[in-house]
Amino acid sequence: MSSESAIGNSAAVVSAAPTSVPSPGSSTALPPAASLFMKGNVIDGKAVAAKIREETAAKVAELKAKYSRVPGLAVVIVGERKDSQTYVRMKRKACEEVGIASFGADLPETATQEEVLEVVRGFNSNPDVHGILVQLPLPKHLDEQAILGAISVEKDVDGFHPLNIGRLAMKGREPLFAPCTPVGCMELLERCNIPMKGKRAVVVGRSNIVGMPAALLLNKRDATVTICHSATKDMESIVRQADIIIAAAGQAQLVKGSWVKPGAAIIDVGTNPVDDPTKTAGYRLVGDADFEECKAVAGAITPVPGGVGPMTIAILLRNTQVSGERFITGKLQCPVAEDTTAGSRKGPLSRLLKDKEQLGPWSLVAAGSLLAAGALQRVITSRRQ
Ligand code: NAP
C-alpha cells in the first residue's frame, strides 16, 4: 500500500527563485519561504487547491483512458440543515469538475440508525463507490461513532475511521487516508517550501477532525509538536516558541501578533463569523489569528477566507482519486456485503486478519492479544472449576 498521497506528497513542492520575506525582529523562525503560491508573506490557498484539483483531474482522466472507469464518491446526508446541504452540493459539484462520479443518499431527519447503517453498508459493497463520506453533524438521535465506524476503512476518504487515525498515530505505520483539512494544512506548508523537520510546531486545538490529526501529521514530518487546548495555561508563551502555528480553536482572532515569533508560519484553520454591518450578510469571516497583526510579524500566513478553506475539498477529491486508483487497478478488492456489517463478528477483527498485508503487523499484535486474552480467560475459568 502506498501512503504517499494520504499524508501529502512532498515531491510535489513547487519552487521558484528564492525571494526573501521581510519580517521585523532579528531572529527569524524559518528560512525565507519561496513559492509560486505566496504573495509576499500571504499563502494563496485558492491557488494551491486549484493546482491539486488540476492534478487530480489529470489522474482521473488517466484512469478513465486506461480502464474505462472513474473513481466514485458517495456522500450521505441526513436531515435538512442548510449549511450541510450547501457543503454537500459543493462536494458533488467539485466531483463533477474533476471527473469523479457522484453517488448520494439524502435521508430525512427522522432516519433511524439502522436505515443510515444500511445505506453505508450498501455503499461499502458497491464496486463503483471508492469513497464514502457522511456529512456531519448528524441528528442527535443517531450514534455518530457507530455510523463512522461502519464505513469500510478502505473507503474512508474523510480519514476519520479509528483504524486510519490509529495508524496515523503510530510510528512506522501509515493510514490509508488522513483527514482532509489537516492534510490541506500540510500541503500548504509543503508547497510553500516551509520546512517542518526539526521545527517547533504549536497546534491550538485538539479536535478529532482538525487539531489532533494536524498534530499527528506534523509529528510524522518530524516537527516537535505541542498541542494547546482550552485548559492550557500561559498559551501565549508556548505559541511564541513556535516556528509553525496551526490555529484551530474556533475562537475569532485569538492569536495576537505579539504571540508570534518573527518569521513563523501561521496556518489559520479558524472560520469565525463576526458582525459586520458593512456586509450584505451582516457578518464577515475571520480566522483564529488576528490577520493584520500576525501578518506584520509572520514569515508566512494563510488568510481567512482563501487559505485553508479551499484545501479541504481539494484533498477530499484527491483522497477519492487515490482510493479509486487502488480499487480500479486491483490493489484493493471491494469489501463484500457481510464483511462490513457493523457489529458483526465478521467485522473489523476478521478484516484486520484478512488485510494483514495492507494493515501491517500491528493488526496481528492486536488479534494476538485478543486471542491470548481469550486463552487466559479459559485457563482462569478452568482453574476455578
Ligand atoms: P472544535 O471541535 O470546537 O475544537 C476546538 C478546539 O479548540 C478544542 O480542542 C478546544 O479545546 C480548543 N479551544 C477552544 N477554545 C480555546 C482557547 N481559548 N484556547 C485554546 N484552545 C481552545 O472545533 P474544530 O472542528 O476543530 O474547528 C476549529 C475551527 O476550524 C473552527 O473555526 C471551524 O469552523 C474551523 N474549520 C475549518 C475548516 C476548513 O475547511 N477551513 C474545517 C474544519 C474546521 P478543548 O478540547 O479543551 O475543548
Side-chain angles (χ1 to χ4, degrees):
M1 179 208 59
S2 159
S3 59
E4 205 177 24
S5 38
I7 58 168
N9 184 353
S10 55
V13 165
V14 176
S15 57
T19 52
S20 60
V21 177
S23 66
S26 53
S27 71
T28 52
L30 296 164
S35 167
L36 296 175
F37 299 119
M38 289 185 70
K39 291 177 186 145
N41 64 342
V42 178
I43 296 172
D44 185 349
K46 278 192 209 158
V48 179
K51 180 74 184 154
I52 291 172
R53 284 180 183 226
E54 185 190 313
E55 291 164 2
T56 303
K59 289 188 175 164
V60 169
E62 248 174 65
L63 279 175
K64 192 173 177 183
K66 207 163 163 195
Y67 299 92
S68 303
R69 290 184 66 195
V70 294
L73 175 70
V75 181
V76 180
I77 178 169
V78 187
E80 281 90 44
R81 276 180 66 123
K82 288 271 172 292
D83 55 345
S84 293
Q85 286 178 338
T86 306
Y87 295 139
V88 167
R89 255 199 317 277
M90 281 164 63
K91 285 167 189 170
R92 288 177 183 158
K93 184 165 170 281
C95 281
E96 216 176 280
E97 283 167 7
V98 298
I100 288 174
S102 246
F103 296 77
D106 296 29
L107 301 174
E109 186 82 22
T110 51
T112 64
Q113 177 85 2
E114 191 47 40
E115 283 165 345
V116 182
L117 286 172
E118 199 52 46
V119 166
V120 169
R121 286 177 204 137
F123 286 136
N124 278 342
S125 54
N126 182 337
D128 294 325
V129 170
H130 310 108
I132 304 169
L133 182 152
V134 175
Q135 185 65 38
L136 300 178
L138 288 167
K140 292 229 170 346
H141 67 279
L142 297 173
D143 180 346
E144 179 184 305
Q145 198 176 329
I147 290 168
L148 294 184
I151 295 174
S152 155
V153 66
E154 299 92 340
K155 297 188 179 184
D156 170 42
V157 285
D158 247 347
F160 295 150
H161 192 290
L163 283 176
N164 277 323
I165 293 288
R167 299 190 97 217
L168 184 61
M170 292 174 82
K171 190 172 159 76
R173 303 282 183 276
E174 296 294 343
L176 285 163
F177 308 97
C180 301
T181 302
V183 171
C185 296
M186 300 303 112
E187 285 283 337
L188 290 173
L189 291 165
E190 280 164 352
R191 295 197 187 219
C192 291
N193 301 332
I194 295 165
M196 287 175 261
K197 187 170 181 162
K199 299 294 174 187
R200 273 185 170 264
V202 170
V203 181
V204 183
R206 57 176 168 182
S207 73
N208 291 336
I209 62 168
V210 189
M212 188 56 73
L216 295 171
L217 286 163
L218 284 163
N219 179 56
K220 282 235 183 270
R221 285 159 177 74
D222 293 329
T224 303
V225 188
T226 304
I227 301 173
C228 296
H229 46 74
S230 62
T232 299
K233 294 204 168 32
D234 193 16
M235 194 162 66
E236 183 178 333
S237 68
I238 297 169
V239 172
R240 204 174 286 120
Q241 294 172 25
D243 302 306
I244 296 163
I245 301 163
I246 300 212
Q251 301 291 322
Q253 300 176 321
L254 173 72
V255 178
K256 302 294 173 201
S258 60
W259 296 21
V260 177
K261 173 153 90 173
I266 305 174
I267 304 295
D268 191 349
V269 187
T271 315
N272 311 291
V274 294
D275 291 343
D276 186 344
T278 68
K279 302 281 176 198
T280 326
Y283 71 90
R284 70 193 154 90
L285 294 178
V286 300
D288 285 358
D290 184 318
F291 184 74
E292 291 307 329
E293 276 187 30
C294 292
K295 179 174 175 278
V297 189
I301 183 168
T302 56
V304 177
V308 176
M311 294 298 292
T312 303
I313 290 185
I315 302 298
L316 172 70
L317 297 173
R318 191 177 69 182
N319 278 356
T320 306
Q321 175 271 316
V322 167
S323 183
E325 189 171 322
R326 287 182 190 135
F327 284 106
I328 291 168
T329 59
K331 284 190 193 121
L332 281 182
Q333 299 300 316
C334 185
V336 290
E338 68 273 15
D339 211 22
T340 55
T341 305
S344 155
R345 295 187 61 187
K346 286 189 175 174
L349 179 60
S350 73
R351 201 157 64 243
L352 275 180
L353 290 166
K354 231 177 75 182
D355 291 350
K356 58 184 182 297
E357 295 296 317
Q358 293 149 25
L359 291 169
W362 69 273
S363 55
L364 292 178
V365 173
S369 308
L370 286 174
L371 292 174
L376 186 62
Q377 182 64 45
R378 281 194 296 280
V379 169
I380 293 168
T381 311
S382 67
R383 285 197 178 161
R384 279 200 192 125
Q385 280 166 352

